[in-house]
């Protein structure tokens, strides 16, 4: 049979094949760098916002502990209070920036998937943030008050 070289202009067919672009390794690395920079930028912006609002976020997180009668938190090291605020802001920033990070990951991976594989992953992409939020809410409103 006749062999056809794959190029960016070569049509792939009925949409069941991988997207019609064949990129050299260096182009993949450039795109990966771009996606990572966008993700890190989203995380940095979210961290700035969360660090500005770290006191209300921290108050919300320790509310079950205060409701259980523990009105005073004790820090055992000099900089521990500051590092706790940094960690709270960072974890909140990851939660806030997750949609952007997941979107950048999907945009990087999706062109290498068959249409059938993309359709198979769609329910997982939609269910992940919903189930994460449901689990966090169940832990915060159900498990933590019972444990305290």
């Amino acid at each position: 049979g006749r062999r056809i070289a794959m190029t960016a202009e070569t049509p792939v067919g009925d949409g069941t094949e991988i997207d019609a672009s064949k990129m050299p390794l260096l182009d993949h690395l450039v795109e990966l760098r771009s996606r990572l920079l966008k993700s890190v930028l989203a995380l940095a912006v979210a961290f700035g916002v969360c660090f500005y609002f770290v006191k209300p976020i921290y108050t919300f997180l320790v509310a079950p502990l205060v409701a259980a009668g523990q009105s005073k938190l004790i820090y055992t090291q000099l900089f521990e209070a500051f590092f706790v605020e940094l960690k709270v802001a960072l974890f909140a920033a990851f939660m806030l920036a997750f949609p952007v990070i997941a979107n950048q990951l999907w945009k990087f991976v999706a062109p290498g998937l068959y249409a059938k594989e993309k359709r198979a992953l769609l329910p997982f992409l939609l269910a992940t943030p919903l189930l994460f939020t449901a689990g966090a809410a169940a832990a915060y409103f159900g498990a933590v008050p019972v444990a305290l």
Side-chain angles (χ1 to χ4, degrees):
R2 197 175 112 198
R3 300 189 106 185
I4 299 173
M6 286 293 292
T7 64
E9 293 82 24
T10 306
V12 175
D14 61 356
T16 59
E17 298 296 320
I18 296 176
D19 287 352
S21 63
K22 186 172 183 177
M23 295 170 46
L25 178 63
L26 192 59
D27 288 347
H28 281 292
L29 293 176
V30 168
E31 183 181 357
L32 177 62
R33 181 185 67 184
S34 169
R35 301 287 178 201
L36 286 173
L37 285 174
K38 289 175 185 173
S39 297
V40 169
L41 181 65
L43 182 64
V45 169
F47 178 77
V49 170
C50 291
F51 193 70
Y52 181 78
F53 292 107
V54 75
K55 297 286 188 206
I57 295 170
Y58 187 70
T59 302
F60 174 75
L61 290 174
V62 298
L65 192 61
V66 171
Q70 181 69 35
S71 61
K72 186 176 180 183
L73 299 176
I74 299 170
Y75 298 106
T76 58
Q77 295 178 353
L78 185 60
F79 293 111
E80 190 173 5
F82 175 69
F83 286 128
V84 166
E85 288 182 356
L86 279 179
K87 289 177 188 177
V88 166
L90 184 63
F91 285 121
F94 270 116
M95 290 176 57
L96 201 60
F98 176 76
V100 175
I101 295 169
N103 187 21
Q104 292 301 315
L105 178 66
W106 176 252
K107 285 182 178 181
F108 181 72
V109 172
L113 298 176
Y114 292 103
K116 193 175 188 180
E117 293 169 332
K118 289 179 188 177
R119 283 192 304 273
L121 281 176
L122 187 61
F124 293 104
L125 292 175
L126 297 175
T128 299
L130 295 174
L131 291 175
F132 175 79
T133 304
Y140 182 80
F141 294 112
V144 171
V146 171
L148 295 176

